[in-house]
Amino acid sequence: MGCQREGVSTVNLNHPLTANYQGSWRAMKKFQYLFMTLAVLCFAVPVFAQAGGAAAPVNLVPIGAGIGMAIAAGLCGLGQGRATGSACEALARNPGARAGIQLLLVLGLAFMESLTLFTLVIVFAKVK
């Protein structure tokens, strides 16, 4: 007895109204546990293990800063794409509201871009 919704879509399996079968929740739970285990194994503490007494400590600040900058830039890019797409859709629905939509779009895009620039400043301040 799987979860059934009203108006089940038989056309596209990625549609939100697609019938959700009983086995899919179990599979998703298994994937969740698998990915959590892989994350723990990938970022485990053995990275910091010393090979001997003469080994220099590893400086991971540049690697962390690069990963942080990549995440910030990628997520800001996704946000800007969604905001621009929504503004275009709003303009298509109501062309008379162009001035207000354009003003808020530019203001929102400036705030999103500033988050990336703040991350870049922090990276330059931390990495020497």
Side-chain angles (χ1 to χ4, degrees):
M1 182 174 203
C3 296
Q4 293 289 328
R5 296 184 184 173
E6 186 177 327
V8 176
S9 173
T10 58
V11 178
N12 187 355
L13 294 177
N14 293 325
H15 195 273
L17 294 178
T18 303
N20 206 350
Y21 298 108
Q22 185 177 9
S24 65
W25 290 108
R26 289 187 195 135
M28 284 298 152
K29 277 292 193 190
K30 288 179 184 178
F31 279 128
Q32 180 182 6
Y33 291 136
L34 174 73
F35 289 132
M36 286 174 28
T37 305
L38 287 176
V40 168
L41 291 176
C42 287
F43 302 111
V45 182
V47 172
F48 300 107
Q50 293 183 4
V58 179
N59 186 11
L60 296 177
V61 173
I63 295 171
I67 291 172
M69 186 64 201
I71 290 172
L75 292 178
C76 285
L78 286 174
Q80 288 175 346
R82 286 189 62 138
T84 304
S86 297
C88 290
E89 186 177 324
L91 282 174
R93 290 174 188 252
N94 188 4
R98 179 173 186 247
I101 292 171
Q102 188 174 10
L103 172 71
L104 293 176
L105 173 68
V106 170
L107 185 64
L109 290 176
F111 283 142
M112 284 183 231
E113 192 63 35
S114 70
L115 293 174
T116 307
L117 294 175
F118 290 148
T119 306
L120 183 65
V121 168
I122 291 171
V123 166
F124 281 139
K126 282 297 200 184
V127 178
K128 295 175 183 170

